[in-house]
Amino acid sequence: MSIVSTSTSAFFERARRDMKDLRTRAENYQAQMSSGSKLERSSDNPVAASRLRALARQEKLAGIDRTSAGRASADLSLADAAMSDMTDALIRAQELAMEASNSTLTDTQRASIGQELDQIFNNLLSLANARDSSGHALFGGESAGDAYSLDAAGKPVYVGTNSSGELPLGDGQSVTRSMTGPAFLSFTGADGAATDLMSVVRTLASALSGGSADPAGAAGSALADLKTGLDTLSTGQTVIGTRLAWIEVTDDRRVNLSELRSSEEADLGGVDLATALAQLQETMTVLEASQASFTRLASLSLFDRLN
């Protein structure tokens, strides 16, 4: 009797253990399908879990870099737009200077041109004091206030810092978020003296409004400085465009790396829903068959055999 008892106990224990394992396996498949991850605990696969944590950290850092790149791109785009508006204004100033250099114009006509040039100067000053995406001076370096102010004589004076801030793009790369005003507005004039585009326009406007004994000559002299200034401004725009292109390159690289990380994460811990569903169905089928088989075997007795 003890042998029968022992065999019966072993049968029940083995059946219980097998069905428990099947239920646990089914529950794991269900949990994986719900969470989308094959790893419920780090102990399931320590190596894969460690790699997944590293990938998550890299993706988080990439998100920070993406934010910085977005800010840099926004500021540089604002700078490019402001420079484009300055270029349009200065081309108009060139046209007016050419017109004013005509000796046949009357003083009244030149004064009218001077008034329009004065408006162009105010527009240039406003653009030079444009704000970045954080509300700080776009062309003032690290200055929070204006980039330019007017001295007692009405001459524009740069009041910003000497350099613009750097923003990280990831992998040790960075980009300067803008340019300081003097970097694209200041140059050496035809007379060999340092000047800037706004001062050239302001001086010409004053000369045409009665501030010069030879307004036509002043207009002719201003043409050379306006051309040099426009060339300097164009160079600045090229620099801005190059930085924007570099941000696009790093953005593309960041996207590619993010896709590679996502692919690796899927390989390491992701769940193929179709495969998991098939495995779940297979496990449930085996479990149901085991339960049915156990029920039939457990109901058998020696009397059943005798009958």
Side-chain angles (χ1 to χ4, degrees):
M1 292 299 294
S2 60
I3 296 177
V4 173
S5 176
T6 301
S7 299
T8 302
S9 298
F11 164 73
F12 276 97
E13 178 60 27
R14 183 169 59 254
R16 184 193 66 78
R17 184 173 60 250
D18 290 345
M19 286 187 286
K20 180 181 178 181
D21 290 342
L22 287 169
R23 281 195 297 270
T24 299
R25 191 183 309 170
E27 290 171 357
N28 287 338
Y29 287 138
Q30 290 174 328
Q32 290 175 10
M33 293 173 63
S34 176
S35 66
S37 175
K38 290 186 292 189
L39 303 179
E40 295 299 317
R41 298 172 298 276
S42 295
S43 58
D44 293 340
N45 189 332
V47 175
S50 177
R51 180 56 181 163
L52 286 171
R53 287 193 295 270
L55 291 171
R57 286 195 298 270
Q58 291 173 11
E59 189 63 26
K60 186 174 182 178
L61 291 174
I64 296 173
D65 294 333
R66 188 161 45 246
T67 299
S68 295
R71 181 190 168 193
S73 181
D75 288 349
L76 289 169
S77 295
L78 289 171
D80 183 62
M83 288 180 176
S84 294
D85 289 343
M86 288 181 179
T87 299
D88 293 340
L90 288 166
I91 290 174
R92 177 56 182 163
Q94 273 188 322
E95 295 172 351
L96 293 172
M98 180 67 72
E99 183 180 349
S101 66
N102 190 332
S103 60
T104 63
L105 261 64
T106 65
D107 290 342
T108 300
Q109 290 172 319
R110 289 195 180 91
S112 177
I113 292 174
Q115 290 176 357
E116 185 174 348
L117 285 168
D118 199 47
Q119 292 174 355
I120 290 175
F121 166 75
N122 289 329
N123 185 32
L124 290 172
L125 180 63
S126 178
L127 290 170
N129 283 327
R131 301 293 169 171
D132 64 14
S133 58
S134 299
H136 296 161
L138 182 59
F139 301 118
E142 298 294 335
S143 174
D146 288 339
Y148 285 86
S149 63
L150 298 178
D151 62 15
K155 178 181 177 181
V157 178
Y158 182 69
V159 293
T161 63
N162 293 327
S163 61
S164 297
E166 299 274 327
L167 289 174
L169 299 178
D171 295 329
Q173 305 294 327
S174 63
V175 66
T176 305
R177 65 176 186 81
S178 183
M179 294 182 73
T180 61
F184 65 94
L185 290 175
S186 298
F187 59 95
T188 301
D191 59 358
T195 186
D196 65 80
L197 275 169
M198 291 186 291
S199 294
V200 171
V201 174
R202 180 72 180 84
T203 299
L204 179 57
S206 177
L208 297 178
S209 300
S212 172
D214 182 15
S221 299
L223 282 170
D225 284 347
L226 287 172
K227 181 181 183 306
T228 301
L230 270 172
D231 290 342
T232 304
L233 178 56
S234 178
T235 300
Q237 270 194 288
T238 301
V239 172
I240 294 296
T242 301
R243 291 175 184 171
L244 283 168
W246 175 238
I247 291 176
E248 290 182 6
V249 170
T250 58
D251 282 346
D252 290 342
R253 184 172 183 274
R254 189 182 304 109
V255 169
N256 291 335
L257 288 174
S258 180
E259 290 175 350
L260 289 174
R261 282 192 292 269
S262 296
S263 177
E264 187 176 355
E265 286 176 345
D267 291 339
L268 288 173
V271 173
D272 184 333
L273 291 179
T275 300
L277 179 59
Q279 291 172 329
L280 174 61
Q281 291 174 336
E282 179 184 355
T283 301
M284 293 302 295
T285 299
V286 174
L287 176 60
E288 290 171 2
S290 298
Q291 290 173 333
S293 176
F294 172 76
T295 300
R296 287 195 298 271
L297 291 174
S299 65
L300 294 178
S301 69
L302 180 60
F303 294 103
D304 295 326
R305 290 293 185 183
L306 293 176
N307 291 334

